[in-house]
Amino acid sequence: MKKIVLILTLLFSFLGYSQIFNPVKWTSKVEQKSENEFVLIMEAAIEDEWHLYSQFTPEGGSQPTVFTFKESKGNYQLVGKTSESPYKKVYNDIFEVDEYYFAKKVTFKQTIKVTNQKLKNVKVYVEYQVCKEQCIQGDNTFTFTLPEIKTAAVETVASEVVDSTATTKLDSTAVASETSKTQEKEVVATSAPKEEKKGLWSIFFLAFIGGFAALLTPCVFPMIPMTVSFFTKQSKTKAEGKRNAILYGVSIILIYVILGSLVTGIFGADSLNALSTNVWFNLIFFFLLVFFAASFLGAFEIVLPNSWANKVDQQADRGGFVGILFMALALAIVSFSCTGPIVGTLLVEAASKGGFAPIVGMLGFSSALALPFMLFAMFPGWMNSLPKSGGWLNTVKVSLGFLELALAFKFLSNADLVVQAHLLEREVFLGIWIAIFGCWAAYLFGKLTLPHDSPMSHLSVGRLFMAIFVTIFTIYLIPGLWGAPLKIISGFPPPMTYSESPNGIGKSGGTTSGIELPEHAHLGPHGIIAFHDYEHGLAYAKKVGKPILLDFTGHACVNCRKMEDFVWSKPEVLAILKEKVVLVSLYVDDKRELPKEEQYVSKETGKEIVTIGNKWSDYQITRYKNNAQPYYIILDADGKDISSPVGYTPDVDEYKKWLEEGVAAFKK
């Protein structure tokens, strides 16, 4: 009776988990743009709560969407890159990178120029990943049927799409080119992501803090009483003084917002964010921030030509709003040696976010900069509460220099990650940061002096507290060399996987607990012995007489990493994984090509199996009728299923119970 119950349980569980699910439905159409140019359009409708990833999502995270244009040589040329709808941007604390994804729908477009007048069909192959609680590796082949070359403005038609192959035919439906452009604009306008608003608020507040930091520099702080004195003496009445103070503040904001607008206008609101993963963009701004840092540390001063200041100062003598506007411009020019590096850094960071972030950044910065001038001019009595100028202003400036230098290496790290040069791996990055913040702590304690420092007989209480805080942070960074996650700075250093010692310095990758790894085995998460080939794992399981934990996973599977980080890491689960089962992890997104003799066409799906990932994905679909990851099942030493399969199971007790039941079934 018990056996019957067990069989029925396994059967119903198997049926519950055995399903081929496709949360993305594709449609496509083609537009004739000119006599020999066509626009191939591929649209994806994405089910609620599922995410499809952008072509440009940074490496180290989820798998990007990749288009392959078949047999293009001698037939057609690609005109530019494949465009896509605006994506949403969110930080993934598992992979420690920003990810770009689409929700609900996305449109991809690629313009081609036909060079072979006899060309009838264009095939496009797309690979993508879509994730919710589980991740699915998907692909589609679109076949676009082109018409005879015509001179019509635009011709377009929608098409039916099947799961594995999308075929598009062109009928005689004519659409004016201007209408097409208008529709494109509407798509962009209506799909602006909510996450972008959150990102803009972050930029605003960071810039606002930067504006206050600029106030506490030797170039700006002493100008507050000078400017307030000017307004109080020149204004005939208090009301006029307050009005002029407000106009002065508004003028400061206007000048910096215009600067942000120029950056956005020159580079383009929608093109800046694509630069964030560009290696040259990151290298240029690395050197730029090092240049700014050197200026703050006292190597030199960044100054604009004196003639600019003189001309602006002459215009400031004019009355009315124009004169006040030129006074604000004079402040910007005279204080540039201190504000320039901060403004430059903010523009660099804002530019990497794209959109209108530079304008929002300058609005935040200028608001903080203008506010004290306005308030003290309106309420001159508050001036008595201001601290006197002194050496502390240079301390603030130098501290900003250390922060600029640390931030510079984030951009260098981005460039290194893009090209996968492994020159600035996690240990090197953390070593550099430890050195920078250690020097900053030594400076604050007075053990290190720089060119513009005044003689110091004692530490102020504020400087002492700051020195202690920086020292604590420096000490906090050190365990990161041995594999500590350093969650406070998550996202700044390269991920743990991008390091010389993924398990931390001093932890060997070739052995575990002093025992040599079996042949074909690897050291998996948390030191678990793992096999990445089913046959090798099965042979080892027979040898040692243990059940197999079959793990269908992916390098770019978020919830696979969550299971490993938050469930497998628990001592009660880890003990079972290390001692009572043989782990066989099959990566369905492994892009390494199979030997030619091992490539085949799937009997289940009809797809060509050319990579290792294709092989394991097809194995999961063929054997279990399931295509989602993570996906776990326990087998006996002969490869027979002895447990019900489970997917993403974040409850530690539930997952532990499932493992124990599988091990117990094996012992029977």
Side-chain angles (χ1 to χ4, degrees), residues 219 223 302-304 309 329-339:
C219 315
M223 296 186 71
I302 305 172
V303 293
L304 295 175
L329 185 57
L331 169 70
I333 292 173
V334 171
S335 64
F336 187 78
S337 61
C338 290
T339 59

Side-chain angles (χ1 to χ4, degrees), residues 165-320:
T165 303
T167 304
T168 301
K169 296 182 179 179
L170 186 65
D171 294 336
S172 58
T173 307
V175 181
S177 58
E178 287 302 317
T179 303
S180 177
K181 291 178 182 178
T182 303
Q183 289 173 340
E184 281 187 32
K185 290 178 182 178
E186 287 176 356
V187 169
V188 172
T190 56
S191 56
K194 294 180 181 178
E195 278 78 1
E196 185 178 336
K197 294 180 180 179
K198 295 179 182 178
L200 292 178
W201 276 112
S202 300
I203 287 290
F204 179 85
F205 286 119
L206 286 173
F208 195 79
I209 294 171
F212 274 121
L215 278 170
L216 303 177
T217 58
C219 315
V220 181
F221 189 81
M223 296 186 71
I224 297 176
M226 293 170 55
T227 305
V228 172
S229 176
F230 173 83
F231 280 124
T232 53
K233 290 179 180 179
Q234 296 298 320
S235 302
K236 296 178 181 179
T237 63
K238 287 185 177 180
E240 184 181 352
K242 291 180 180 180
R243 186 201 67 187
N244 289 341
I246 292 172
L247 288 176
Y248 183 68
V250 170
S251 299
I252 293 173
I253 294 172
L254 187 62
I255 288 167
Y256 283 100
V257 168
I258 289 173
L259 177 61
S261 301
L262 286 173
V263 171
T264 302
I266 291 170
F267 292 101
D270 296 321
S271 61
L272 282 168
N273 50 12
L275 293 174
S276 62
T277 56
N278 181 280
V279 62
W280 293 110
F281 173 91
N282 284 285
L283 284 176
I284 288 170
F285 284 122
F286 163 71
F287 289 112
L288 187 62
L289 293 189
V290 170
F291 177 77
F292 289 157
S295 171
F296 269 153
L297 293 173
F300 50 82
E301 286 194 358
I302 305 172
V303 293
L304 295 175
N306 288 330
S307 58
W308 292 17
N310 293 333
K311 289 179 181 179
V312 170
D313 195 47
Q314 291 172 6
Q315 296 296 324
D317 293 334
R318 298 169 60 180

Side-chain angles (χ1 to χ4, degrees), residues 107-123:
T107 300
F108 298 96
K109 296 183 179 182
Q110 175 64 59
T111 301
I112 63 169
K113 183 177 183 180
V114 175
T115 56
N116 177 6
Q117 300 300 313
K118 296 181 180 180
L119 182 67
K120 298 297 182 184
N121 299 309
V122 174
K123 288 190 176 182

